[in-house]
Amino acid sequence: MAAAQGRLSDGAGGMDDAKGNAEAEGHAGAAGPPAFRAAVEALRAARLRPQVEVEPTPAPQRLAPYAYAVEAVVIDGEQELADGRLVLLHDPAGHDAWQGTFRLVTLVRAELEPEMAADPLLPEVCWSWLTGALQSRGLTYGEPSGTVTRASSHYFGGLSERPAASQIEIRASWTPREGLGGVPDTAGHLASWCDLLAQVGGLPPAGPGDASVVTLPQRRGPQSR
């Protein structure tokens, strides 16, 4: 599975550009207070659309007392359309910047057609996909924060035969509101995150949705796994 790279911040301002701490064992999810264990079990039991492959991955250790992480890739045939990483953080004492005891932090990225990357409204549209994915499932959340970055590569000299390449990257964090027993609906948030991944990857919605929602076009060339 193609894993999204990048160290996650504490969630107050999204994510930074450093490499993740792959030595942590936070993906086990076996330790921690009851609320954290219940939140992790809900993530593990979530039912997701088949085009999104999700698996646990080592979680960063220094962002919160407890953390659990997953990585995902959107697959269409032999093409990888998008990939990402989602981390659940938990601090039983609470966190002023989070305004809660849980925080979700994510990195999502996908390749784009160069003409799509040139659209001046693309960052705003991508951010609306994140908030729209949460709202479409009726999830409550607070303190959203993040960045949308687009980058283009043009090749010259001995590499001039390569086509120009563009990428969109969404780094974001938000506080899922806690429910019974102080446990947020982590399964619902994971499903919404997978909706975002699929949308960024250019897949149509899994079911009937808002007609105003725009998805990215399918990629021109297959990207082998």
Side-chain angles (χ1 to χ4, degrees):
M1 177 181 293
Q5 298 296 320
R7 191 183 68 196
L8 304 173
S9 77
D10 64 2
M15 305 163 65
D16 64 30
D17 294 326
K19 186 176 180 181
N21 179 2
E23 300 176 355
E25 293 298 331
H27 67 284
F36 177 70
R37 296 200 304 269
V40 170
E41 285 306 312
L43 285 175
R44 289 171 168 170
R47 297 177 61 87
L48 307 171
R49 59 187 297 171
Q51 298 97 332
V52 183
E53 297 181 359
V54 180
E55 64 183 27
T57 188
Q61 290 181 309
R62 299 179 181 179
L63 306 183
Y66 306 97
Y68 179 86
V70 297
E71 62 183 19
V73 61
V74 179
I75 301 295
D76 183 26
E78 291 299 313
Q79 286 185 278
E80 292 185 4
L81 303 180
D83 68 279
R85 188 178 185 213
L86 181 70
V87 177
L88 174 69
L89 304 175
H90 179 54
D91 185 344
H95 195 295
D96 289 342
W98 303 353
Q99 293 297 300
T101 62
F102 285 91
R103 187 76 171 173
L104 285 163
V105 190
T106 186
L107 166 63
V108 171
R109 62 187 182 183
E111 297 297 322
L112 296 177
E113 299 291 350
E115 57 269 25
M116 285 293 297
D119 186 341
L121 296 180
L122 184 63
E124 289 80 3
V125 169
C126 287
W127 184 256
S128 73
W129 290 345
L130 169 62
T131 57
L134 295 169
Q135 293 166 3
S136 68
R137 291 183 179 269
L139 297 168
T140 56
Y141 65 96
E143 308 304 319
S145 181
T147 63
V148 177
T149 304
R150 52 186 167 185
S152 298
S153 298
H154 298 265
Y155 301 94
F156 302 93
L159 301 177
S160 60
E161 293 184 358
R162 292 187 183 183
S166 299
Q167 185 181 75
I168 192 74
E169 184 177 271
I170 303 171
R171 296 170 179 260
S173 61
W174 64 95
T175 298
R177 294 306 183 204
E178 299 163 14
L180 295 175
V183 182
D185 181 7
T186 50
H189 283 271
L190 176 59
S192 293
W193 180 69
C194 289
D195 291 342
L196 170 66
L197 269 173
Q199 191 166 17
V200 170
L203 293 183
D210 187 345
S212 66
V213 172
V214 178
T215 57
L216 293 177
Q218 294 293 329
R219 311 298 180 259
R220 284 179 300 203
Q223 184 176 353
S224 299
R225 298 184 64 190

